Every structure is written in structure tokens, then in C-alpha cells.
Amino acid sequence: MIRVDHIGVPAHARLDAAGLLASLFGLDREIPDDGRFAPLEVSPELTIVFFDSEHIQPMHVAFLVDDDAFDAILKRLQSQRVAYGSQPNDATNGRIDHPLSERGLYFKTPEGHLFELMASSSNRT
């Protein structure tokens, strides 16, 4: 068996980056900080570990979410004025007509990481 244990994501400020994602995803968890890493448990199967880095190579992380989670995250993106869009090359067009799902979106973090959400009930795969 092989499974992903965690994903390491570089950030300018690890706690700020973890806090932003936790806020958008509605995760009311205290983020531990050992001085090097700020792990955010997104689900029992996945932890995103943010770490400080001066040199950041933006990455793309995609999430499959249920309809209720999608709706809640979309509302938080809107209320926190985080730009989002339906295309990876246009993550600010304010649309959710995703190329692989009837409802999906992309948004970028301040570091330039591209996060993608696809509503699972409308997934066309």
C-alpha cells in the first residue's frame, strides 16, 4: 500500500499560510508550530505541512470536496475577498465553471500556490 502522508508547502510565514488555508477551509484547529513546521490536518488522510522558505516555487494542490464544503469554502473566499476563478490560468475571473467539474474553482495564495477545489457530486471523471 502507498498513500500520501503529507505535502510540504513553502511559505513566507508558515503560520500565516497555514492559518489562511485553515480559515478558508473552515478548519477550527489550533495549528501546532515546532519552530520549523506548521502542520495543518486537512483530513485524517492528508496533512499539509507549511515551512518557511525564502525561495518559493509555486505548487498546485487539488482537492475534491462535497457540495456542502464547496459552498462553505466559496462563501469564505467571497467574504474574505480572496480572488478565485474557473481556470488555472485565470484564477481571478470569479467563475466556478471548472474544466473538469460542473462546479470548481482555483485560488492563489500570497506565495503564488494554486489551490483547486472540485465539487465531488458534479465531478465528470
Side-chain angles (χ1 to χ4, degrees):
M1 173 182 78
I2 298 174
R3 67 179 176 90
V4 174
D5 177 67
H6 69 275
I7 296 172
V9 176
H12 295 298
R14 66 187 175 279
L15 283 173
D16 292 344
L20 172 64
L21 196 61
S23 171
L24 292 173
F25 282 11
L27 303 173
D28 296 326
R29 299 183 177 119
E30 186 168 326
I31 300 166
D33 181 20
D34 68 2
R36 296 182 349 180
F37 303 108
L40 174 63
E41 184 181 306
V42 176
S43 71
E45 296 82 24
L46 177 63
T47 299
I48 297 177
V49 179
F50 292 90
F51 60 93
D52 292 336
S53 179
E54 289 182 29
H55 306 288
I56 295 176
Q57 184 71 17
M59 44 191 308
H60 173 194
V61 181
F63 298 92
L64 188 61
V65 299
D66 64 36
D67 284 324
D68 291 339
F70 183 87
D71 292 338
I73 294 168
L74 178 59
K75 283 186 179 188
R76 285 190 285 275
L77 286 165
Q78 292 167 335
S79 70
Q80 294 183 36
R81 297 182 192 263
V82 175
Y84 62 89
S86 61
Q87 300 292 322
N89 295 327
D90 189 2
T92 62
N93 66 22
R95 297 176 13 205
I96 61 171
D97 55 323
H98 190 278
L100 300 176
S101 178
E102 288 180 25
R103 294 188 333 133
L105 60 84
Y106 298 87
F107 67 92
K108 287 189 176 184
T109 67
E111 290 85 6
H113 301 303
L114 184 67
F115 287 98
E116 177 181 7
L117 301 174
M118 292 180 287
S120 61
S121 69
S122 59
N123 193 346
R124 296 183 198 158
T125 59

